[in-house]
């Protein structure tokens, strides 16, 4: 599907961007420091969502997000999930949705940290 055919699709919307589509909603996004997670977090925020950015690299994201909305999260650790969910609910009152975009970690990879 290309942008010029988007408006002709019988199911997809005619607009690729909806301002305020997610206004007032809270999303938890993993892998937000780069790649698909970062793009998803930016898109959700652009469409009005409050986004809790998480990543295995401390700080969650480096694109100027509010530090209170950025957490270190190793998706393989239960305690990290508990902390992220608790912090999100404490900060925003609820979680309306999520995007699990953290990439796999390969043993021996220097990417961690």
């Amino acid at each position: 599907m290309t942008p010029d055919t988007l408006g002709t699709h019988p199911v997809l919307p005619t607009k690729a961007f909806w301002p305020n589509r997610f206004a007032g909603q809270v999303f938890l996004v993993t892998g937000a420091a780069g790649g698909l997670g970062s793009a998803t977090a930016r898109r959700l925020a652009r469409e009005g969502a409050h986004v809790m950015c998480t990543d295995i690299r401390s700080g969650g994201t480096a694109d100027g997000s509010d530090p209170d909305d950025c957490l270190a999260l190793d998706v393989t650790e239960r305690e990290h999930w508990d902390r992220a969910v608790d912090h999100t609910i404490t900060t925003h009152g609820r979680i309306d949705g999520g995007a699990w975009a953290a990439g796999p970690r390969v043993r021996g990879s220097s990417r961690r940290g």
Side-chain angles (χ1 to χ4, degrees), residues 57-104:
R57 293 174 272 181
S58 64
T61 185
D63 66 358
S65 298
D66 183 343
D68 288 339
D69 289 341
C70 300
L71 296 172
L73 170 68
D74 181 340
V75 297
T76 66
E77 298 291 333
R78 172 68 186 229
E79 297 81 25
H80 288 218
W81 277 106
D82 291 342
R83 186 181 69 234
V85 169
D86 289 346
H87 182 77
T88 304
I89 292 172
T90 299
T91 303
H92 297 289
R94 67 183 190 277
I95 298 173
D96 297 303
W100 317 137

Side-chain angles (χ1 to χ4, degrees), residues 46-68:
R46 188 173 154 210
E47 295 193 9
H50 297 284
V51 181
M52 183 62 67
C53 298
T54 68
D55 198 273
I56 196 166
R57 293 174 272 181
S58 64
T61 185
D63 66 358
S65 298
D66 183 343
D68 288 339

